[in-house]
Amino acid sequence: MGRVACVLAVLAVLALTLAAPWQARAADPLPEPRGHVILRVTGAIEICNEGKAAAFDRAMLEALPQETVATHTPWTEGRDTYTGVSLATLLARLGAHGSMIDAAALNDYVVNIPASDARLGVLIATRRNGQPMPVRDKGPLWIIYPLDSQPELDGKETRAKMIWQLKSLHIR
Amino acid sequence: MTRRTEGLGRWVAFAAVLLFVVALIGAGIQLNREQSVRFRSYRTGVWHLVQAQVELLRLRDALDRYMLHRTATARNDLQMRFDIFWSRIPVVLESEEAATIRELPGVVPTFRRILDDLPGWDHELRRLLAGEDGAYTGLIEDFDELVAPLQALTHTPVEADNLGGKTLEARLSELTIAFGALFVAGAFVILVLLRQLGIAERLRDDARFAAAQASEARRHLSDVLQSVDAGITFVDAEGRLQLVNGQMRRYYPALSDRLAPGTNWVALLHDSVARGIIRTSLDAEPWLADRLARATGGGATFEQELADGRVLLIGERRTADGGLVTVRTDVTALRRARVALEHRLAAIEASFDGIAMLDREVRYTYASAAFARLLGATGAERLEGRELERSLVPEDRARLARVMIPEARQYGAWRGEVTALRADGTTVPIEINLKPLPDDGSAGASRFGDTGGFICVARDLTERHRAEAAREALAEQFHFAQKLDALGRLASGIAHDFNNILAAIQGHAAVLVHDLRPGSNERRIAERIVQSGERGKELVDQVLAFARAESVERRPVDLRDVVEGMRQVLRASVPEAVPFEVSLPDAAVPVLANTTQISQVLLNLCINARDAIEDRAGRIVLTLAVVPAPGTPGRGASPEDYAGASALHVGGDTASGRTVLSVGALAAAPGYARLAVRDDGCGIERAVALRMFDPFFTTKPPGKGTGLGLSAVQGITVGHGGRIVVDTRVGAGTTFTLYLPLADPAALAEPAPAAGRGQVRNGIIVVDDDELVGGALATRLERAGYEVSFCHDGEEALELFEAAPAAVDAVVTDLVMPGVDGLSVARRMLARRPDLVVVLCTGNADRIDREALAAAGGAIEVLLKPVDMRVLRRRLRERLDRLPRVAAE
């Protein structure tokens, strides 16, 4: 009995330690965007700040845990460093629970991204080489797949999913 | 080409091939990649071109909308559309995806001009948004001006997209096909090259291997030739010895110096016969010619005898190139074995016993001549292949499978009698010995079990059966003789004593007859006594005749006289109604015989004939004839008559009731007297005939026959060295035929008549312990005119003799007496008077010690008791008449 209780206690502690930040963050209400909204997330999400949508300005996105991916792309010359929030972090922050994401660009180009791609380290880049990306240079947001660290990803499908001038995400 | 350069060439070829393949593969991969990249980049490039055009159009729309509704949204939208359009230009000019499209003519200059114009348009747009509407016109004109070339740029690839894409694809496919064809051609060339190289190498290897093998094969062949147990030579087409092995030299040690490659073969052959190595009756030249003739054909196999006794089997074969291979094998042992086998086969063939070999199915595989003869399978009738059981009568066929074969297998042999069925259907009793052979090893089981065949030895039992039958007949005859002997001893013992009594009665009765007055009653009585005594004596004589036939004395007589003398008596014994015929030859029939006994035989036979006829109307025929000895030319008698040496023989055939019986073995003689008595009576049944010579056997009612008649006839005949043949048929009659050896006719001469009776009175001493017998004898001798003194024993007689030896001329003494016996008396008297006539009387002649008789000296007469007075008188007369001194009266 004692041993079972001990194991259960350890498991409980572990669960709390690991789950607490998620739960805390998931439970955190999203602040209102104060600046120009550059990303709007809709669909199967739990955290919203604009009706059934979650609207983000640049500051809100950059307030989220930032990650960096260094890679080259078929549309740029040389290798660049991209910084932004990872898709996984964003989905977790919003308590998203879908399997497919419809990503749309400013020019209304839409592409379907499986939610499982979040595990590949997909980044919603806000900066290239530390500089914010203007619309004229594929900004403000660009979905970056780590093509250099995972060369097997490079291909027609991945290139299609690497949508720039990202405007919105719809989780379903 | 040396091996080194060969290897180098191979490696170079291999490297070239490898290089070609690698290059080809690399090229293929490169081509494929380029193809896909080019294709993809073309597509995406066109897409980027179209996007640029689309964004230009949207920008123009956004500009127009802003000019109509100067809202914040429209303002932001215009700003965003301009930014988006801007973002499209570097993509076309710089991105990897648009690389292909950049190659299209006009794309790069157009987009570079747009890129150059963008800052200007940005400036004008800021002015417009700042409220200077005049900027609009410049912008919209620039944009409209740009639409056409962009559209043109876009149209070319988009139109070509359907056509050009296909063209590109087709071109790529052609390229691919060409590449494939090149690859196949190159691969083919390489494969052919490799194959040629491989074949060349394999051929070289094969050649090397074949050479090595040939070398090894030559070595093996040499080893084989040297070690093989046969002499081998090879002579080439030129007649030179090319090859000769060691065994060949050992076969011909005397020729070993010449047995070397290069020797002229014909010269060698010549030497072999010239040196006397080969045993031949031919000279060297003819032998050589014969030997060479054998070798001229395709080949021959023959045996060669060497001078030292060895035999070689020579096999010669011509080779295709005219050479001659000769193989010699020593078959001396084989030849010896063959000869030994032939000898054994000859021994088997020579055996009187039939010998056959049978296979497991009990079929003949071999049958010796004797065997075939035994079964009558001669000539074309071969036994081989036929079953043994077909040689047996049906009863024995079942025995063969059920008894003979199983027992032969179980006990290692079966021996016994079977009846064989000969080829001609007759049967023959044979004894066979069936011996199983070891398993011959052939597979499968026969219906007689699964072991080997048999040896069958057969012997004809016909002779043995005949011999056994003869032996049985002899045994029967022996028993018959033994029975007669026993009866004879018994009878003679009785007869001896009985005779003494009879002699006394007769003697005294004779005295009475002599003394009594003739015609008186007393004298008639006395005469009856004498007659009865005579009949009693006859009976005793018959007993003695059958018992001791040889004891009677015989002398030469003419049988005609005997028959003639008995004629009246015989006639009287047969009823007058029965005709009695007597047939006598003209010439004398001299036979050494006892007249009394022959008379007795005749009387017995006639009485039997009379009894056989009884009341029938039959007749009796008595014939006397002389027949020659068997084997003498001209003899007319049938074999049954008197031929054959067997003592007792029974023949005839039971169905017709005829029985032919013969008794007695004929003594050798130049001829025989045949005395036959035939009647037409009832005949004799076989069972009776077989016993009719037995003493005391009779079929007559009591009182009528003694059962001794035919016994006496048989005894007398056999005693005379004769033979009786009885041929009888029931209801038809019987013939008794006697064969008696003929005597020398000269012996018939009668002795000179004696001197007149009574003229000489010789002194005789009669000695007998039996007063009756001796007294009667003395009385009768006195009557006969002799001076007789009777003594009761030997001592008395000797005293009397000693008193006056000269007065005694003869002594008649009984042999067996108490005290001094007759022989002693005779010996003592003879010692004194060697010329004394001595007569020994005995009831049994066998009791006389012949040696003692001879040792006594002088001539001792022996007479059997009861003494026949006529014989005694005749003997005395003969002897006394020859005495030198004649007693004077």
Side-chain angles (χ1 to χ4, degrees):
Chain A
M1 284 297 281
R3 192 183 292 173
V4 173
C6 204
V7 170
L8 284 174
V10 169
L11 283 175
V13 169
L14 271 171
L16 283 173
T17 317
L18 293 170
W22 289 91
Q23 286 202 337
R25 210 167 288 173
D28 278 348
L30 209 58
E32 293 293 318
R34 281 195 294 272
H36 177 64
V37 173
I38 55 170
L39 179 66
R40 210 170 247 109
V41 183
T42 56
I45 52 169
E46 288 174 3
I47 314 290
C48 303
N49 59 359
E50 193 185 75
K52 284 191 174 177
F56 290 90
D57 59 11
R58 176 171 293 273
M60 280 169 72
L61 286 172
E62 290 191 336
L64 290 169
Q66 296 294 294
E67 279 169 47
T68 300
V69 169
T71 186
H72 81 276
T73 77
W75 308 275
T76 55
E77 283 185 43
R79 182 175 163 138
D80 297 310
T81 305
Y82 299 89
T83 310
V85 62
S86 76
L87 182 62
T89 306
L90 182 72
L91 295 177
R93 179 65 184 84
L94 299 176
H97 45 79
S99 60
M100 189 60 75
I101 303 164
D102 300 336
L106 291 174
N107 64 350
D108 300 325
Y109 168 80
V110 178
V111 74
N112 300 323
I113 297 170
S116 55
D117 276 10
R119 286 201 303 264
L120 300 172
V122 175
L123 198 66
I124 301 171
T126 46
R127 288 168 189 266
R128 182 168 63 180
N129 297 329
Q131 297 298 315
M133 292 178 289
V135 175
R136 293 178 188 178
D137 195 11
K138 304 177 184 69
L141 300 172
W142 190 2
I143 289 187
I144 293 293
Y145 278 72
L147 295 177
D148 277 13
S149 63
Q150 295 173 61
E152 71 276 5
L153 289 175
D154 195 0
K156 224 164 85 181
E157 273 88 43
T158 304
R159 287 186 185 189
K161 289 188 283 188
M162 289 175 75
I163 184 171
W164 67 69
Q165 295 170 334
L166 179 70
K167 173 173 78 175
S168 65
L169 299 169
H170 177 74
I171 318 293
R172 58 186 171 91
Chain B
M1 236 196 287
T2 65
R3 192 176 297 185
R4 191 189 163 91
T5 50
E6 279 164 26
L8 200 64
R10 198 167 70 243
W11 281 114
V12 166
F14 194 71
V17 166
L18 201 67
L19 205 64
F20 176 75
V21 168
V22 167
L24 213 59
I25 289 169
I29 290 169
Q30 191 63 37
L31 184 68
N32 185 49
R33 184 179 295 166
E34 203 158 306
Q35 182 187 346
S36 68
V37 165
R38 282 180 69 85
F39 195 71
R40 196 172 61 226
S41 74
Y42 177 77
R43 279 279 173 92
T44 51
V46 169
W47 193 78
H48 285 301
L49 216 55
V50 169
Q51 284 295 313
Q53 194 196 348
V54 166
E55 289 306 324
L56 178 64
L57 293 174
R58 280 179 174 175
L59 175 59
R60 200 178 162 281
D61 280 356
L63 185 61
D64 284 348
R65 267 199 309 276
Y66 175 71
M67 291 309 288
L68 289 174
H69 314 285
R70 304 214 178 192
T71 61
T73 310
R75 181 192 170 94
N76 285 343
D77 189 48
L78 176 61
Q79 184 65 55
M80 193 184 73
R81 287 297 160 197
F82 182 72
D83 285 351
I84 290 171
F85 175 66
W86 191 317
S87 77
R88 284 291 156 191
I89 306 309
V91 169
V92 172
L93 281 175
E94 294 164 11
S95 88
E96 173 202 318
E97 285 188 341
T100 314
I101 211 70
R102 281 197 293 274
E103 290 171 10
L104 286 177
V107 171
V108 173
T110 307
F111 275 77
R112 215 166 267 296
R113 209 180 67 219
I114 294 171
L115 194 64
D116 288 345
D117 287 341
L118 278 173
W121 293 333
D122 187 36
H123 179 71
E124 290 301 310
L125 192 63
R126 281 177 203 274
R127 277 180 56 209
L128 182 71
L129 291 175
E132 292 179 32
D133 289 352
Y136 168 74
T137 317
L139 279 172
I140 204 77
E141 279 176 3
D142 281 356
F143 291 161
D144 285 347
E145 201 179 308
L146 198 58
V147 167
L150 263 185
Q151 212 152 22
L153 281 179
T154 314
H155 267 225
T156 318
V158 167
E159 276 172 9
D161 197 28
N162 292 326
L163 183 71
K166 276 179 188 142
T167 313
L168 188 67
E169 261 180 77
R171 208 156 56 81
L172 284 169
S173 298
E174 280 166 19
L175 202 64
T176 310
I177 288 165
F179 170 77
L182 188 67
F183 178 82
V184 168
F188 180 73
V189 168
I190 286 160
L191 280 175
V192 167
L193 192 67
L194 281 174
R195 196 172 139 75
Q196 288 304 325
L197 275 172
I199 287 170
E201 193 166 347
R202 200 159 61 240
L203 283 173
R204 271 197 305 281
D205 284 350
D206 286 354
R208 275 201 297 274
F209 183 66
Q213 266 199 332
S215 160
E216 197 178 1
R218 271 198 300 279
R219 207 172 59 245
H220 283 170
L221 184 64
S222 170
D223 289 351
V224 166
L225 284 179
Q226 291 306 324
S227 62
V228 77
D229 190 23
I232 295 172
T233 58
F234 174 64
V235 177
D236 63 15
E238 279 74 44
R240 282 190 310 271
L241 199 56
Q242 286 292 342
L243 187 150
V244 58
N245 74 344
Q247 186 64 43
M248 184 70 190
R249 295 193 187 87
R250 284 190 286 281
Y251 279 162
Y252 297 95
L255 270 181
S256 59
D257 56 324
R258 303 286 319 274
L259 285 167
T263 308
N264 183 292
W265 183 56
V266 176
L268 192 64
L269 289 177
H270 188 273
D271 280 3
S272 71
V273 69
R275 292 187 191 182
I277 294 162
I278 288 155
R279 178 189 292 170
T280 173
S281 55
L282 298 173
D283 288 334
E285 290 310 320
W287 181 87
L288 194 59
D290 177 58
R291 179 71 182 80
L292 288 173
R294 289 178 194 270
T296 49
T301 303
F302 52 94
E303 287 186 357
Q304 186 181 72
E305 288 186 32
L306 301 188
D308 59 6
R310 283 179 300 137
V311 181
L312 298 181
L313 180 72
I314 301 181
E316 277 183 345
R317 292 290 176 275
R318 279 280 169 202
T319 60
D321 57 0
L324 186 69
V325 174
T326 308
V327 179
R328 287 170 170 79
T329 317
D330 190 338
V331 292
T332 313
L334 210 62
R335 164 80 73 92
R336 277 183 197 140
R338 199 170 66 212
V339 169
L341 199 64
E342 277 167 5
H343 288 175
R344 274 168 212 189
L345 261 175
I348 287 172
E349 282 292 333
S351 165
F352 287 119
D353 286 344
I355 296 168
M357 288 170 74
L358 305 156
D359 65 8
R360 61 200 317 174
E361 297 286 352
V362 200
R363 281 188 305 245
Y364 295 105
T365 53
Y366 162 79
S368 70
F371 199 97
R373 217 162 34 238
L374 189 56
L375 291 177
T378 49
E381 291 261 0
R382 298 292 296 170
L383 284 172
E384 281 83 353
R386 290 174 53 187
E387 287 87 4
L388 171 64
E389 60 182 346
R390 286 175 60 190
S391 304
L392 299 175
V393 293
E395 307 88 78
D396 283 332
R397 284 178 196 168
R399 267 176 78 210
L400 178 71
R402 210 171 49 242
V403 180
M404 291 153 68
I405 287 172
E407 287 192 2
R409 290 253 159 85
Q410 190 177 352
Y411 305 114
W414 185 88
R415 189 170 187 158
E417 258 189 70
V418 297
T419 307
L421 189 62
R422 289 165 58 91
D424 59 4
T426 59
T427 59
V428 57
I430 57 171
E431 179 183 39
I432 67 167
N433 190 2
L434 202 61
K435 193 170 170 56
L437 290 169
D439 198 332
D440 59 13
S442 56
S446 77
R447 63 201 168 105
F448 299 107
D450 57 355
T451 49
F454 295 89
I455 285 178
C456 179
V457 181
R459 183 174 294 175
D460 191 346
L461 289 180
T462 313
E463 274 307 318
R464 192 196 286 180
H465 283 182
R466 195 176 292 151
E468 276 172 6
R471 198 160 56 240
E472 274 172 28
L474 270 176
E476 196 175 316
Q477 200 184 336
F478 176 68
H479 291 145
F480 180 67
Q482 265 194 328
K483 188 166 69 180
L484 288 188
D485 184 59
L487 280 168
R489 283 176 191 279
L490 181 68
S492 74
I494 294 167
H496 174 74
D497 290 339
F498 197 61
N499 254 347
N500 286 345
I501 297 165
L502 274 180
I505 293 170
Q506 266 197 298
H508 290 288
V511 171
L512 285 177
V513 169
H514 187 261
D515 289 353
L516 290 172
R517 185 169 47 87
S520 68
N521 204 30
E522 290 80 357
R523 179 157 175 163
R524 274 200 303 277
I525 292 170
E527 280 170 353
R528 289 269 174 81
I529 294 171
V530 170
Q531 283 166 10
S532 298
E534 285 293 337
R535 276 166 59 193
K537 187 173 176 297
E538 278 171 14
L539 182 63
V540 172
D541 281 348
Q542 283 188 2
V543 171
L544 282 173
F546 123 75
R548 284 295 162 217
E550 71 276 16
S551 299
V552 300
E553 58 178 338
R554 294 178 211 109
R555 56 196 189 87
V557 291
D558 185 349
L559 267 189
R560 290 183 304 172
D561 295 348
V562 179
V563 174
E564 202 58 58
M566 284 296 288
R567 195 169 191 156
Q568 289 310 312
V569 176
L570 296 175
R571 180 63 243 184
S573 66
V574 175
E576 288 187 8
V578 178
F580 181 74
E581 296 163 20
V582 176
S583 162
L584 296 176
D586 296 336
V589 184
V591 170
L592 193 65
N594 181 297
T595 308
T596 311
Q597 286 190 328
I598 297 300
S599 305
Q600 189 184 336
V601 165
L602 286 173
L603 191 62
N604 274 329
L605 291 180
C606 287
I607 287 168
N608 277 344
R610 177 201 70 195
D611 291 346
I613 290 170
E614 263 186 340
D615 303 331
R616 294 155 188 261
R619 59 178 188 154
I620 298 170
V621 179
L622 192 157
T623 52
L624 179 65
V626 170
V627 292
T632 308
R635 77 180 182 90
S638 74
E640 288 162 352
D641 286 347
Y642 57 91
S646 79
L648 178 74
H649 179 78
V650 180
D653 80 86
T654 43
S656 62
R658 184 182 177 207
T659 303
V660 177
L661 190 79
S662 63
V663 182
L666 276 175
Y672 299 92
R674 185 177 69 192
L675 184 64
V677 176
R678 194 177 80 230
D679 66 64
D680 314 343
C682 57
I684 307 167
E685 283 176 20
R686 177 167 282 225
V688 175
L690 289 174
R691 295 190 62 196
M692 68 188 176
F693 293 115
D694 287 3
F696 307 112
F697 175 81
T698 181
T699 55
K700 294 171 185 173
K704 243 190 136 182
T706 58
L708 285 169
L710 282 177
S711 310
V713 169
Q714 180 250 334
I716 289 164
T717 310
V718 172
H720 279 76
R723 178 177 175 84
I724 309 169
V725 176
V726 184
D727 186 350
T728 178
R729 190 190 292 263
V730 175
T734 306
T735 304
F736 279 82
T737 310
L738 273 60
Y739 294 91
L740 298 171
L742 283 181
D744 183 3
L748 285 176
E750 281 286 322
R757 193 192 287 184
Q759 287 181 334
V760 179
R761 282 184 66 89
N762 297 94
I764 295 177
I765 296 175
V766 174
V767 192
D768 200 323
D769 58 327
D770 190 328
E771 188 165 353
L772 282 174
V773 175
L777 188 63
T779 305
R780 294 177 79 176
L781 283 176
E782 276 182 356
R783 299 272 166 78
Y786 295 101
E787 189 65 46
V788 180
S789 308
F790 175 67
C791 301
H792 290 85
D793 53 38
E795 286 85 354
E796 191 184 343
L798 284 171
E799 271 178 36
L800 193 66
F801 176 73
E802 291 299 332
V808 181
D809 295 313
V811 62
V812 178
T813 176
D814 191 10
L815 176 64
V816 184
M817 290 183 298
V820 183
D821 66 3
L823 196 58
S824 302
V825 170
R827 208 162 41 224
R828 289 195 200 171
M829 290 184 180
L830 282 168
R832 186 79 180 248
R833 282 279 308 277
D835 59 340
L836 190 71
V837 176
V838 179
V839 177
L840 269 175
C841 299
T842 176
N844 195 333
D846 289 348
R847 293 193 189 162
I848 297 170
D849 186 349
R850 300 265 173 204
E851 287 181 19
L853 203 64
I860 298 176
E861 294 285 338
V862 178
L863 285 181
L864 283 173
K865 288 171 117 179
V867 178
D868 188 323
M869 277 310 294
R870 285 172 290 182
V871 175
L872 180 61
R873 280 204 300 267
R874 194 172 67 234
R875 294 283 172 88
L876 287 172
R877 195 165 62 239
E878 285 170 7
R879 293 289 302 274
L880 292 174
D881 286 351
R882 277 185 251 142
L883 283 175
R885 183 184 63 87
V886 177
E889 193 155 2

